[in-house]
Amino acid sequence: MHDMEELLRREWRVNGQFYRFADEEIVGGGYAPTKPYLRGTEGIAYPLENDRGEITSFVKFFNQTRITPKRIERTKWLVDQEIQSWEKEVEGAPHAWLDTSVVGRPAGISFDFACAIAKAVPGLTWAEQGGKVAAGEVELDPALRRECIVSLLRGLAVLEQRNMLHGDLSPNNIIVDLNQKVGDPALYLIDFDGFVAPEIGRASCRERV
């Protein structure tokens, strides 16, 4: 967690792309500032901003007690599939594996790290949106509900067509966009850590041979 604090506001240039680790988020109502990164069982998701302060990507740091060579191998294989290009509903899949010992560190950082990076899709997790619906703060009209169902089925179908399952359809891994734009999905799938794909087993066997 000390390393996460060190990354606040640090700028990072990777292959000509500019990123800035997000700053503290100020919560209204007199509450103290909160950290921008989200901690989960598997690791930490950290938002990255562009040079206009817009959150465009997320990096995923794996929990050190859970990361293994096999987990890294799975993540690199997932990146190589270019899932983000299959359909918009799955464009939040990781599209790069970055190791600072190869691509360089953020400015002012003295330690190396490796992480997966994915596009930040619009909306909030269903865990967040569902809570607002239950509290009466948000109402999902029938048309948007239908759009969410269509987007969910399309995302799952495109994965199944490639002989792959998402593997962890929890409320935290489904994003719902209440401000859906024309031509964009109402729902996105993110966090593919638990994916199931027979091909990754065969690829591993080939590498060992």
Side-chain angles (χ1 to χ4, degrees):
M1 295 310 300
H2 174 73
D3 291 345
M4 294 298 100
E5 297 289 333
E6 286 291 314
L7 289 172
L8 282 169
R9 300 177 297 280
R10 299 291 186 177
E11 296 182 355
W12 194 19
R13 296 186 182 275
V14 183
N15 301 324
Q17 179 70 47
F18 173 88
Y19 299 109
R20 181 188 297 111
F21 285 85
D23 201 343
E24 294 178 339
E25 296 178 332
I26 304 300
V27 179
Y31 293 101
T34 62
K35 306 306 180 187
Y37 45 83
L38 304 174
R39 299 180 62 180
T41 303
E42 297 294 329
I44 294 174
Y46 209 129
L48 296 178
E49 302 172 342
N50 61 16
D51 56 3
R52 296 185 298 276
E54 302 164 334
I55 294 176
T56 57
S57 304
F58 277 88
V59 294
K60 173 68 175 288
F61 299 100
F62 289 110
N63 187 320
Q64 289 185 338
T65 63
R66 292 177 176 270
I67 191 64
T68 62
K70 182 65 175 178
R71 171 60 65 84
I72 294 175
E73 177 187 356
R74 279 172 50 87
T75 303
K76 289 181 176 180
W77 182 88
L78 189 67
V79 166
D80 289 342
Q81 307 315 301
E82 299 184 346
I83 294 174
Q84 78 281 356
S85 67
W86 294 356
E87 288 287 351
K88 286 187 176 181
E89 285 79 3
V90 292
E91 65 182 5
H95 60 77
W97 175 260
L98 301 178
D99 185 335
T100 57
S101 66
V102 177
V103 301
R105 301 169 181 166
I109 293 298
S110 60
F111 56 87
D112 283 311
F113 59 84
C115 58
I117 187 168
K119 177 181 178 179
V121 295
L124 297 175
T125 67
W126 177 240
E128 296 170 290
Q129 297 284 32
K132 291 183 178 183
V133 171
E137 299 174 6
V138 169
E139 183 176 351
L140 300 182
D141 63 65
L144 182 60
R145 289 175 182 268
R146 285 192 295 271
E147 287 293 325
C148 286
I149 293 171
V150 170
S151 294
L152 177 62
L153 293 177
R154 183 181 292 116
L156 296 177
V158 73
L159 292 175
E160 188 170 339
Q161 288 168 358
R162 304 310 205 280
N163 202 23
M164 181 182 294
L165 300 177
H166 182 280
D168 185 13
L169 291 177
S170 71
N172 286 316
N173 295 338
I174 294 174
I175 301 289
V176 174
D177 183 11
L178 298 182
N179 300 310
Q180 175 195 16
K181 296 180 180 179
V182 176
D184 286 344
L187 180 149
Y188 299 83
L189 304 181
I190 62 169
D191 198 340
F192 288 68
D193 290 348
F195 79 90
V196 179
E199 182 59 29
I200 182 60
R202 291 192 285 270
S204 298
C205 290
R206 287 197 294 269
E207 287 180 5
R208 285 195 293 270
V209 172

